[in-house]
Amino acid sequence: MLKVHHLSESRSQRILWLLEELGLEYEVIRYERDPKTGFAPPELKAVHSLGKSSRASTPS
Protein backbone atom coordinates (compact mmCIF):
# COMPACT_ATOMS: atom_id res chain seq x y z
CA MET A 1 0.00 0.00 0.00
CA LEU A 2 1.17 3.50 -0.81
CA LYS A 3 2.02 5.75 2.15
CA VAL A 4 1.63 9.50 1.69
CA HIS A 5 3.37 11.84 4.11
CA HIS A 6 1.04 14.84 4.29
CA LEU A 7 1.92 18.20 5.83
CA SER A 8 -0.96 20.41 6.93
CA GLU A 9 -1.60 23.46 4.74
CA SER A 10 0.53 22.18 1.87
CA ARG A 11 0.20 21.21 -1.76
CA SER A 12 0.20 17.54 -0.76
CA GLN A 13 -3.59 17.89 -0.50
CA ARG A 14 -3.56 17.63 -4.30
CA ILE A 15 -1.91 14.22 -4.13
CA LEU A 16 -4.57 12.96 -1.72
CA TRP A 17 -7.26 14.24 -4.09
CA LEU A 18 -5.60 12.51 -7.05
CA LEU A 19 -5.36 9.18 -5.22
CA GLU A 20 -9.05 9.43 -4.31
CA GLU A 21 -10.00 10.16 -7.92
CA LEU A 22 -7.93 7.19 -9.12
CA GLY A 23 -9.50 4.93 -6.52
CA LEU A 24 -6.13 3.79 -5.20
CA GLU A 25 -5.55 2.50 -1.69
CA TYR A 26 -3.23 4.59 0.43
CA GLU A 27 -2.34 5.41 4.00
CA VAL A 28 -1.92 9.02 5.13
CA ILE A 29 0.73 9.94 7.66
CA ARG A 30 -0.13 13.44 8.83
CA TYR A 31 2.22 16.12 10.12
CA GLU A 32 1.31 19.46 11.63
CA ARG A 33 3.26 22.65 11.05
CA ASP A 34 4.87 24.47 13.95
CA PRO A 35 2.24 27.04 15.03
CA LYS A 36 4.81 29.80 15.55
CA THR A 37 7.08 29.35 12.54
CA GLY A 38 4.89 27.44 10.09
CA PHE A 39 7.79 25.06 9.43
CA ALA A 40 7.59 21.30 9.06
CA PRO A 41 8.21 19.23 12.19
CA PRO A 42 11.45 17.27 12.70
CA GLU A 43 9.55 14.01 12.09
CA LEU A 44 8.92 15.02 8.47
CA LYS A 45 12.52 16.12 8.05
CA ALA A 46 13.50 12.55 8.93
CA VAL A 47 11.51 11.40 5.87
CA HIS A 48 12.58 14.22 3.52
CA SER A 49 15.78 16.11 4.29
CA LEU A 50 14.21 19.49 3.42
CA GLY A 51 11.01 18.79 5.32
CA LYS A 52 8.98 18.94 2.11
CA SER A 53 5.75 17.14 1.38
CA SER A 54 4.17 15.36 -0.23
CA ARG A 55 6.37 12.35 -0.01
CA ALA A 56 5.14 8.93 -1.05
CA SER A 57 6.66 5.59 -0.19
CA THR A 58 5.88 1.99 -1.02
CA PRO A 59 6.69 -1.17 0.89
CA SER A 60 10.07 -2.60 0.00
Side-chain angles (χ1 to χ4, degrees), residues 2-18:
L2 187 66
K3 290 184 180 182
V4 179
H5 298 266
H6 170 67
L7 179 61
S8 63
E9 300 176 36
S10 71
R11 290 183 232 163
S12 65
Q13 186 64 41
R14 297 174 186 171
I15 302 301
L16 300 178
W17 171 75
L18 175 64

Side-chain angles (χ1 to χ4, degrees), residues 16-27:
L16 300 178
W17 171 75
L18 175 64
L19 292 170
E20 283 293 322
E21 290 294 315
L22 293 173
L24 299 176
E25 290 186 26
Y26 62 94
E27 175 185 351

Side-chain angles (χ1 to χ4, degrees), residues 5-60:
H5 298 266
H6 170 67
L7 179 61
S8 63
E9 300 176 36
S10 71
R11 290 183 232 163
S12 65
Q13 186 64 41
R14 297 174 186 171
I15 302 301
L16 300 178
W17 171 75
L18 175 64
L19 292 170
E20 283 293 322
E21 290 294 315
L22 293 173
L24 299 176
E25 290 186 26
Y26 62 94
E27 175 185 351
V28 178
I29 302 168
R30 299 184 184 277
Y31 301 91
E32 295 296 322
R33 294 182 180 273
D34 182 287
K36 291 182 181 177
T37 64
F39 293 156
E43 296 84 12
L44 183 57
K45 291 182 181 179
V47 176
H48 188 288
S49 60
L50 297 176
K52 301 287 184 180
S53 91
S54 64
R55 169 87 174 167
S57 59
T58 59
S60 44

